[in-house]
Amino acid sequence: MLRVRLTLAFDGTRFHGWQIQETTGKQPRTVQGTVEEALKRIAGERIRVHGSGRTDAGVHALDQNAHFDAPESKANVPWQRALNALLPDDVRVTAAAAVAPDFHARHSSSSKTYAYSFWLNGRYVLPQRRHYTWRSGPLDVSAMEEASKRLVGTHDFAGFQNVGTEVGSTVRTVTDISRCVVDDLGATDHESVWRITADGFLKQMARNVFGLLAEVGRGKLAPRDADAVLATSERAPAPYPTAPARGLTLVRVRYE
Amino acid sequence: MLRVRLTLAFDGTRFHGWQIQETTGKQPRTVQGTVEEALKRIAGERIRVHGSGRTDAGVHALDQNAHFDAPESKANVPWQRALNALLPDDVRVTAAAAVAPDFHARHSSSSKTYAYSFWLNGRYVLPQRRHYTWRSGPLDVSAMEEASKRLVGTHDFAGFQNVGTEVGSTVRTVTDISRCVVDDLGATDHESVWRITADGFLKQMARNVFGLLAEVGRGKLAPRDADAVLATSERAPAPYPTAPARGLTLVRVRYE
């Protein structure tokens, strides 16, 4: 067996998220399922693809990482070219490389960075950006920065986790939340782009953090309200919204 | 009657161009037709919308301009808000204003600017940009600039006109062709964006100019080949491609 690491970019708009669904009905279109279909056509057998983590329906990626084990008979396949020739144009392999057999896309990752695009103009969203940004209206950046500082560090993020997935610990370490420029994001000057980096993310944690930051930026919540959310043990019903998936992009998965 | 000027942005991907088609069959989805449908719902009667010009299927706009005449009974309608509430999200009214009755979106325009995005990475196009750029591969900018200089000025552009529309004169004045940054375009750092400004454009003239520039940029044609195309009286069969519609955006229509 030969372990291959894939780096993938995708437009999440028409995908029902990363992960193949457990269902008895029609399988929804997922990124993982789409990549596995292409692999099967190349290898002639079913090959499981392991991602660095799930992304929700509508969430995009510039740098999702995944691995799979290819049979030795396929050792010389040029994976990037071969996969891109078969994949639909809303998912691309941006790099493919043989890796050590103990590389694991999820377990080996040390941190992830997500970016979020807020659309500042309250009157309309530019059609070309409608799948990639969320209309927040004008935002108070300094209030958002103050709230961000309260979230950076090692905390119990249970208050930012949507129900649905059982995890052991809800403690995560957020190393950075800041306004930024991501060259590959295609953001226009109508947008405010923020990023969050952590050693791991709970279910919808990134979207909940950006939902809270938007409310702070709009003046509907105070920066100190971030402390109150950190102090709660579950996602409370609606003191702030979960930011829509379309504004979120997985921009970096790091491996040590 | 009250004349209203509209400024429109649209994502051309799912439109069969600007103009309503003359057909006995099913009307394809056009921007003009979509705006007229929304106007009819507001005004209760059919109102013709006159654009500054046609755009091809797949071509985008940041700043298409149009006008229509509203009945006096609708003088107080807040057109931008009312239309945006009814229009699909791939077309937005970015401004609406009452204008003098002799304003005409096409006849009053003095010049137009189109932008074109070339995708420089030869291996893949980022999925998020697939509807907005054309994969040219690496380009020799200085060769393209030299070819551009040969096209700027008042020339007979018949050699850059695709057949299909009869026009009186094929002489046009191109005032600028240059590499540029357009803040609203959402171009990433993988792209080279160029613009062309002229007092008017023949059918597919902008796409043919950018198709020629791409061939020059790839070294398949020399800058002086631009002179040969200017010297011909019709679009010759394939010394260079017509650049695909998806890379082209109408970014500005000027009125004096």
Side-chain angles (χ1 to χ4, degrees), chain A residues 112-161:
Chain A
K112 283 183 191 170
T113 300
Y114 284 94
Y116 202 92
S117 165
F118 298 102
W119 184 265
L120 302 176
N121 179 323
R123 297 178 76 94
Y124 64 90
V125 173
L126 192 69
Q128 289 84 331
R129 294 291 297 156
R130 71 194 187 282
H131 297 308
Y132 311 107
T133 191
W134 176 39
R135 187 170 72 176
S136 60
L139 295 172
D140 177 341
V141 169
S142 61
M144 292 167 75
E145 285 170 345
E146 198 188 323
S148 298
K149 275 180 210 154
R150 292 165 185 263
L151 297 176
V152 168
T154 302
H155 302 287
D156 184 340
F157 282 92
F160 289 93
Q161 175 188 33

Side-chain angles (χ1 to χ4, degrees), chain B residues 103-124:
Chain B
F103 174 86
H104 191 287
R106 181 156 58 89
H107 301 145
S108 307
S109 79
S110 53
S111 78
K112 282 183 194 170
T113 300
Y114 283 93
Y116 201 90
S117 166
F118 298 103
W119 184 266
L120 302 176
N121 179 321
R123 297 178 78 94
Y124 66 89

Side-chain angles (χ1 to χ4, degrees), chain B residues 154-166:
Chain B
T154 302
H155 303 287
D156 184 340
F157 283 92
F160 288 93
Q161 175 188 34
N162 278 21
V163 292
T165 306
E166 292 296 319

Side-chain angles (χ1 to χ4, degrees), chain A residues 11 13 60 119 124-133 185-188 190-191, chain B residues 8-13 15 58-64 89-92 94 127-133 184-187 246 248-251:
Chain A
D11 180 329
T13 310
H60 314 288
W119 184 265
Y124 64 90
V125 173
L126 192 69
Q128 289 84 331
R129 294 291 297 156
R130 71 194 187 282
H131 297 308
Y132 311 107
T133 191
L185 212 64
T188 65
H190 299 288
E191 292 160 65
Chain B
L8 298 152
F10 59 84
D11 180 328
T13 309
F15 286 108
V59 171
H60 313 288
L62 294 177
D63 183 47
Q64 167 66 308
D89 63 2
D90 53 353
V91 52
R92 290 288 97 182
T94 59
Q128 288 84 331
R129 294 290 298 155
R130 70 195 188 282
H131 297 309
Y132 311 107
T133 190
D184 281 2
L185 213 63
R246 63 180 176 278
L248 190 67
T249 301
L250 174 59
V251 296

Side-chain angles (χ1 to χ4, degrees), chain A residues 85-98:
Chain A
L86 293 173
L87 288 168
D89 64 2
D90 52 353
V91 53
R92 291 288 97 183
V93 175
T94 59

